[in-house]
Amino acid sequence: LPSIETLREIRFDGVPQFTAAGAAHLAKMTSLESLHLSWMIVDVTDETLADTILRIVSKNTNLTHLALSNSGVTDEGLASFDENRRLTALHIGEEPKLTEAALDSISKHIGLKSLRLGIRPYLSISNDQLTPLRELDSLQLGERQRFSPEILKSFPKLASMTLSGEVFDFALAREI
């Protein structure tokens, strides 16, 4: 990886050869704008490889897009990214290790324009948890993401919304 420092986007999709030592090279990739992690294996340490990667790239001021799906990221790994204020897109797919604490981390990214919460974790989003995301213009909630329609008032710039599966029922339709 040290020879590809000028990449603007990188996707790691089920690469068992990738290690924490290899992840250290990501710190040199200062041009990186978009990072996608999916199907990452657990490292031999107590920290997941995804958590290690997030901790390393959290200081990259050019990173604006982060996508996680089946990466094994934990609440602590996501929290290590809290100080990155340039993030405009956060897409989280199936991440069973994340809990409601992840919503606290997400809410710190006040510049987010696009937020996608996938099928898991099954989060109950309270009305005040995501209210700091006033710039949000695209919201996608996967199956079983529970929320009150009142939360939509928190997003004055919301232009696109996707609701999937069980999250949308007749009661919700009436409220919206």
Side-chain angles (χ1 to χ4, degrees):
L1 286 179
S3 62
I4 53 173
E5 295 157 351
T6 58
L7 283 179
R8 292 192 347 235
E9 179 177 359
I10 191 162
R11 294 171 181 259
F12 293 108
D13 188 9
V15 284
Q17 308 87 338
F18 198 66
T19 64
H25 295 291
L26 292 171
K28 300 174 188 173
M29 299 178 73
T30 57
S31 298
L32 194 63
E33 297 170 3
S34 180
L35 177 64
H36 300 255
L37 302 177
S38 62
W39 294 102
M40 304 300 290
I41 59 169
V42 175
D43 198 3
V44 293
T45 66
D46 290 335
E47 186 176 49
T48 70
L49 184 55
D51 285 357
T52 301
I53 292 170
L54 288 184
R55 190 177 35 74
I56 290 167
V57 300
S58 66
K59 295 177 181 33
N60 181 332
T61 58
N62 288 318
L63 197 62
T64 58
H65 184 261
L66 178 63
L68 306 165
S69 183
N70 291 300
S71 70
V73 69
T74 66
D75 292 334
E76 292 78 22
L78 195 59
S80 72
F81 213 76
D82 285 354
E83 298 304 312
N84 181 315
R85 297 291 186 237
R86 300 263 329 228
L87 203 61
T88 59
L90 178 60
H91 299 163
I92 299 176
E94 288 234 9
E95 291 295 351
K97 293 181 180 179
L98 292 180
T99 69
E100 268 78 12
L103 294 172
D104 294 331
S105 290
I106 292 168
S107 71
K108 292 178 182 172
H109 297 282
I110 59 173
L112 275 183
K113 294 181 185 325
S114 175
L115 175 61
R116 182 176 6 183
L117 297 176
I119 296 171
R120 282 196 302 178
Y122 309 129
L123 302 176
S124 290
I125 303 167
S126 70
N127 285 351
D128 61 343
Q129 279 179 302
L130 298 180
T131 54
L133 305 180
R134 311 256 325 141
E135 298 298 312
L136 205 62
D137 67 15
S138 176
L139 177 62
Q140 181 175 347
L141 299 175
E143 291 184 28
R144 300 186 183 109
Q145 301 302 334
R146 296 288 172 216
F147 73 101
S148 165
E150 283 294 310
I151 197 172
L152 300 179
K153 295 176 183 173
S154 302
F155 312 127
K157 298 183 179 182
L158 193 64
S160 172
M161 184 169 171
T162 303
L163 300 173
S164 302
E166 296 174 19
V167 82
F168 195 79
D169 58 20
F170 289 114
L172 179 60
R174 280 191 299 275
E175 289 187 57
I176 290 178

